[in-house]
Amino acid sequence: MAAARTPGDGPPVEEFASVFRVHEVRTDGDRLLYVGRPTVSADALEREVHPLFREYGYEISLRRHQPAGPTGPGTYALVAEPRTVGVDGIPWTNVALALATVATTLFVGSLWYQGNAVADPASALRAWPFTAAVLGVIGTHELGHYVTSRYHRVDASLPYFIPVPIPPFGTMGAVIRMKGRIPDREALFDIGIAGPLAGLVATVVVTVIGLHLPPVTNPFGVQFNHPLLLQAIAAVTGQQLVYSDPQLIFNPVVFGGWLGAFLTFLNLLPVGQLDGGHIVRAMFGERTETIGAAVPAALFGLGAFQLLGRSSDVTLVWFLWGTLALGLAYAGPTTPISDDGLDRKRFALGAVTFLIGLTCFTPVPVSV
């Protein structure tokens, strides 16, 4: 039998002997291997040992160690790996993508300000308000996820920005990568909802600032339709979103708010690994799969309605997102280790957040 105190100062075997019979404890680099056999199902074992190993600073996984054979039943190994939360060294990939996205948004922003960064590099510098607005909203959204992940001691990457050097935004947003397991529904809910709420605050701030700046000449000849949230902000501040001169369009800074509202609605779709999928999984448990299955149908239906009834304003965005939602629904939501129910305050906050998300929706985002 292994010693009561294992190498690397991991948890003593006596603390989980009721669910896993340990035959041997060994080290493999900085990992600990508890070799033996579980006495309960894999899910029950994980629910029991995961909080214990987290307290000792380890992430745990169950792996087959030796298959069953003539000499006896097979064995398993509880593999404990040191848990790290936060940045380890300089995240060069994140830095490179962020700088590239600054460059692409400056380039696109120069076009909004009637310049051309290729012919006149100085015009890119004049587009810094557009870049600050767009990246500020996107970055604030992802920072909400990252900070909440740190709070719940779930390992997550810094944001990976996605540079795209084409109008109207110069970016496809940003993502963070969750590298640690979600311990419970509360953590899943908090991490999922923090991004949209933080992004909504940034969206309101950027929109208010942009509405007080002068309009510009529309360089692309497309019309951006406005969700109820932006219309409400304009009404409260007494500023214009639409101009009588068809050649004019709101200041490019407002695009940070427009993009923030649009991304908030998309992220709150209650399916799969999207923020809305995390929230409804925390709120409704396994019933989430039924909700998620309805999302692709709703998006395809919206696209079909526009195709049949509003041919002049057809947009493929809902067909695109319907296809994406179909894949997300098939992959399923994130399952926390502990699946205990959510408290009423969080449940209410989730419901309010989805209602606010509806104010970010516009059936036809862009018209030609």
Side-chain angles (χ1 to χ4, degrees):
M1 175 62 68
R5 204 67 173 180
T6 62
D9 199 28
V13 297
E14 286 83 359
E15 296 196 27
F16 55 94
S18 62
V19 292
F20 192 86
R21 295 176 181 173
V22 178
H23 301 160
E24 178 187 4
V25 180
R26 64 177 68 164
T27 59
D28 179 15
D30 57 357
R31 301 190 307 170
L32 302 178
L33 277 69
Y34 295 78
V35 181
R37 289 196 301 272
T39 61
V40 295
S41 68
D43 290 342
L45 175 64
E46 186 176 43
R47 287 194 299 269
E48 182 71 24
V49 302
H50 186 269
L52 173 63
F53 277 82
R54 276 172 61 90
E55 290 300 320
Y56 281 81
Y58 289 94
E59 288 286 352
I60 193 71
S61 60
L62 179 67
R63 302 178 189 177
R64 170 74 74 172
H65 180 68
Q66 183 178 2
T71 58
T75 57
Y76 292 81
L78 279 174
V79 181
E81 301 183 74
R83 183 171 56 86
T84 59
V85 178
V87 180
D88 183 14
I90 300 176
W92 292 112
T93 301
N94 303 80
V95 171
L97 288 173
L99 292 176
T101 308
V102 169
T104 56
T105 53
L106 284 173
F107 167 72
V108 171
S110 71
L111 302 178
W112 280 113
Y113 288 97
Q114 311 305 311
N116 189 323
V118 176
D120 178 18
S123 66
L125 298 179
R126 295 194 294 271
W128 70 263
F130 172 82
T131 293
V134 170
L135 297 191
V137 169
I138 295 172
T140 301
H141 178 112
E142 298 302 333
L143 188 62
H145 290 311
Y146 180 77
V147 170
T148 315
S149 298
R150 291 291 301 272
Y151 174 79
H152 284 285
R153 299 188 298 169
V154 175
D155 192 14
S157 71
L158 288 171
Y160 292 92
F161 286 89
I162 307 173
V164 179
I166 57 175
F169 303 112
T171 178
M172 291 277 294
V175 296
I176 66 171
R177 186 163 63 93
M178 305 299 296
K179 297 181 285 186
R181 290 295 309 277
I182 307 296
D184 49 41
R185 283 201 200 181
E186 289 188 0
L188 181 62
F189 179 89
D190 293 350
I191 293 171
I193 207 169
L197 291 181
L200 278 169
V201 172
T203 293
V204 172
V205 171
V206 164
T207 302
V208 170
I209 293 174
L211 287 173
H212 285 82
L213 298 175
V216 298
T217 301
N218 190 338
F220 303 116
V222 296
Q223 176 185 345
F224 287 81
N225 301 310
H226 309 299
L228 181 60
L229 176 65
L230 264 64
Q231 295 179 41
I233 295 173
V236 170
T237 58
Q239 303 298 315
Q240 285 183 272
L241 267 176
V242 180
Y243 294 86
S244 57
D245 186 345
Q247 299 298 318
L248 293 180
I249 194 169
F250 48 68
N251 191 277
V253 170
V254 178
F255 275 104
W258 191 96
L259 179 62
F262 186 58
L263 291 180
T264 294
F265 172 75
L266 293 178
N267 274 292
L268 283 175
L269 289 174
V271 61
Q273 301 294 312
L274 294 178
D275 297 340
H278 294 327
I279 297 169
V280 295
R281 178 60 181 81
M283 293 171 66
F284 298 107
E286 295 180 355
R287 288 174 291 172
T288 302
E289 295 186 7
T290 302
I291 300 172
V295 174
L299 294 175
F300 284 130
L302 179 59
F305 172 78
Q306 293 178 3
L307 185 63
L308 296 174
R310 305 185 62 173
S311 58
S312 61
D313 289 333
V314 168
T315 174
L316 296 179
V317 65
W318 303 125
F319 289 111
L320 174 64
W321 272 88
T323 303
L324 178 61
L326 193 63
L328 291 170
Y330 179 79
T334 296
T335 301
I337 293 172
S338 174
D339 216 4
D340 294 336
L342 204 64
D343 61 84
R344 292 183 178 179
K345 290 182 179 180
R346 283 182 170 86
F347 204 98
L349 178 60
V352 170
T353 300
F354 281 119
L355 290 176
I356 296 175
L358 289 176
T359 69
C360 297
F361 169 70
T362 178
V364 185
V366 180
S367 302
V368 178

